Amino acid sequence: MGAAHLINFRLLVWGIVIIPALSQGGLKTGFYSSSCPKAESIVRSTVESHFNKDPTVAAGLLRLHFHDCFVQGCDGSILIAGASAEKTARPNAGLRGFEVIDDAKSQLEGLCPGVVSCADILALAARDAVDLSGGPSWGVPTGRRDGRISSSAEASSLPTPLDPVPTQRQKFASKGLDDHDLVTLVGAHTIGQTDCLFFQYRLYNFTSTGNSDPSINQAFLAQLQSTCPKMGDGSKRVALDKDSQFKFDISFFKNVRDGNGILESDQRLWGDSSTRRIVENYAGSIRGLLGLRFDFEFPKAMIKMSSIEVKTGTQEEIRKICSKFN
C-alpha cells in the first residue's frame, strides 16, 4: 500500500472521508472559507445544540435534505412556507428540522449577511447530523444558490414507502442516481423513525388478503403487531432500525437481510437481485472491517445526491430568511 493510500485508509478508519476540492455542478469544498469563514462551524454548533436536546432531529435533517434534492434539485425549495409550497405536499408530511436551519441562518445573517445559502446550510446540517450520530464525516461541496420556485405539485417524484424496486430505481435514475446510490442512501434509515400508519397494512391486510406480508420475519411480526395493534394509534412512532435507532451503522442492512425491514420499500431491496447484492455487501461481517464499506460509500452517495440540479454562480438568490423568497 503506497503512502497516499495508507494516509487515506487511516483517515477513513477515523471517520473522515477525503474528497477532491472540486465537485459536480460547480460546487467546491470550502466555498465560504473567505466570504464567511465561520459558516460551517456555526452550522455544526447549531445542529449539535439541537441534537443534544433531541437526537431524533438528526434523521429529520437528513430526510429534509433528501426531500429538498429530489424536487427542483438541492435549492432549499423545501424550506419555503406557503399554502401551495413544496413542504405541504403529502409525501412531505412529517418533515422536521426546519427550526434548526432557521436558527443557523439567523446566526449567519448576523455575521455574514446575504452570503450563505439556505440550501448549503441544509446540506451541511445533513452531514453534521450523520457525524453526530456516529456515522462518517466528509467535506461538503458548497456554493448552492437558493431556488425561487416551491410547488407542492412537483413533489410526485419523491419515493414512497409503497414503491417496488423498479419504481424506486426509476425515481433515482431520473436524478442521475444508480442502484448503488439507491441502496446506500436508503441506508440513512439506520437512524430514522416512521408511524405505524405507513406499514400497518403489512401486518394485517397485505394486498387485501387479510394476511401479513410473508417477507416479514415471523418473530418480528409478532413484535410489530404488539407495537402497532390493528385498531391502534396510527401515529405511534417506530424505529426503522430495530437494533440501534440513534446510531448510524449497518444494522439496518442486517435487518433487511433478516426480514426485519419496517417499510415495504426497504424490505423489497432484498427481493431484487441487483439491490440484494448491495445490501449483502453492507450487511457483511468481515472481521475488523465491519461497517467500513458503508462508511466510505455513504458520503460519496450523499455528495452525488447533494449535487442534483444545483443552482450556482449568479443564478436565483441567497435568501435572507429560509422560509420565504427575497
Side-chain angles (χ1 to χ4, degrees):
M1 185 181 286
H5 287 101
L6 185 60
I7 291 168
N8 280 359
F9 179 76
R10 284 174 176 162
L11 286 168
L12 174 57
V13 171
W14 296 331
I16 304 165
V17 176
I18 305 300
I19 64 160
L22 292 172
S23 186
Q24 297 156 305
L27 307 177
K28 69 172 188 173
T29 53
F31 181 84
Y32 298 108
S33 57
S34 299
S35 57
C36 192
K38 292 185 177 177
E40 295 201 20
S41 61
I42 286 173
V43 174
R44 166 72 186 210
S45 63
T46 305
V47 173
E48 194 164 5
S49 169
H50 287 265
F51 176 86
N52 288 339
K53 294 176 199 155
D54 176 14
T56 67
V57 79
L61 289 166
L62 204 44
R63 184 173 178 236
L64 199 55
H65 181 44
F66 180 90
H67 280 232
D68 183 39
C69 291
F70 259 68
V71 183
Q72 290 283 339
C74 312
D75 66 349
S77 53
I78 192 64
L79 305 172
I80 292 293
S84 60
E86 198 176 301
K87 70 190 288 188
T88 65
R90 190 171 178 185
N92 290 325
L95 283 181
R96 50 193 296 258
F98 296 98
E99 72 286 353
V100 182
I101 307 303
D102 290 341
D103 186 355
K105 179 62 171 174
S106 174
Q107 294 177 59
L108 287 166
E109 281 300 298
L111 189 68
C112 316
V115 173
V116 184
S117 69
C118 299
D120 274 345
I121 294 170
L122 187 47
L124 291 165
R127 183 269 312 273
D128 294 335
V130 172
D131 183 33
L132 288 164
S133 301
S137 186
W138 62 93
V140 175
T142 42
R144 295 166 192 78
R145 305 273 292 181
D146 295 322
R148 291 192 49 78
I149 296 171
S150 181
S151 169
S152 60
E154 299 198 21
S156 59
S157 59
L158 283 163
T160 79
L162 300 172
D163 288 345
V165 172
T167 303
Q168 295 183 61
R169 180 176 286 129
Q170 181 272 320
K171 287 180 177 180
F172 276 72
S174 72
K175 304 298 175 186
L177 303 169
D178 58 22
D179 279 9
H180 187 80
D181 301 317
L182 189 168
V183 176
T184 304
L185 291 167
V186 169
H189 287 169
T190 178
I191 56 169
Q193 290 181 311
T194 190
D195 296 351
C196 287
L197 172 71
F198 293 112
F199 65 90
Q200 223 158 8
Y201 69 95
R202 297 185 69 208
L203 312 182
Y204 304 104
N205 193 29
F206 187 65
T207 64
S208 305
T209 60
N211 299 317
S212 60
D213 182 341
S215 68
I216 304 176
N217 179 299
Q218 286 304 297
F220 190 46
L221 174 64
Q223 190 181 322
L224 288 175
Q225 288 176 330
S226 170
T227 305
C228 300
K230 197 169 190 175
M231 303 303 287
D233 179 8
S235 65
K236 188 170 184 181
R237 305 290 283 166
V238 177
L240 291 170
D241 178 349
K242 72 180 183 67
D243 299 314
S244 54
Q245 69 161 307
F246 298 117
K247 185 165 174 52
F248 200 93
D249 57 19
I250 60 166
S251 66
F252 167 80
F253 295 108
K254 293 185 172 187
N255 289 335
V256 170
R257 177 194 65 194
D258 298 338
N260 296 329
I262 301 284
L263 300 176
E264 183 182 353
S265 56
D266 289 351
Q267 192 56 53
R268 292 295 162 259
L269 297 175
W270 189 249
D272 177 274
S273 60
S274 172
T275 53
R276 178 177 182 148
R277 276 194 301 274
I278 304 160
V279 171
E280 280 179 318
N281 267 349
Y282 289 149
S285 53
I286 303 166
R287 188 163 296 172
L289 293 177
L290 191 67
L292 195 58
R293 183 186 297 267
F294 180 54
D295 269 5
F296 184 66
E297 298 297 330
F298 187 77
K300 291 200 295 183
M302 282 293 287
I303 289 166
K304 191 172 173 182
M305 183 198 78
S306 68
S307 301
I308 294 172
E309 299 165 31
V310 292
K311 287 83 177 168
T312 58
T314 56
Q315 294 176 305
E316 309 302 335
E317 66 183 17
I318 303 293
R319 282 182 220 140
K320 295 181 178 69
I321 297 171
C322 289
S323 58
K324 65 180 188 178
F325 303 125
N326 290 347

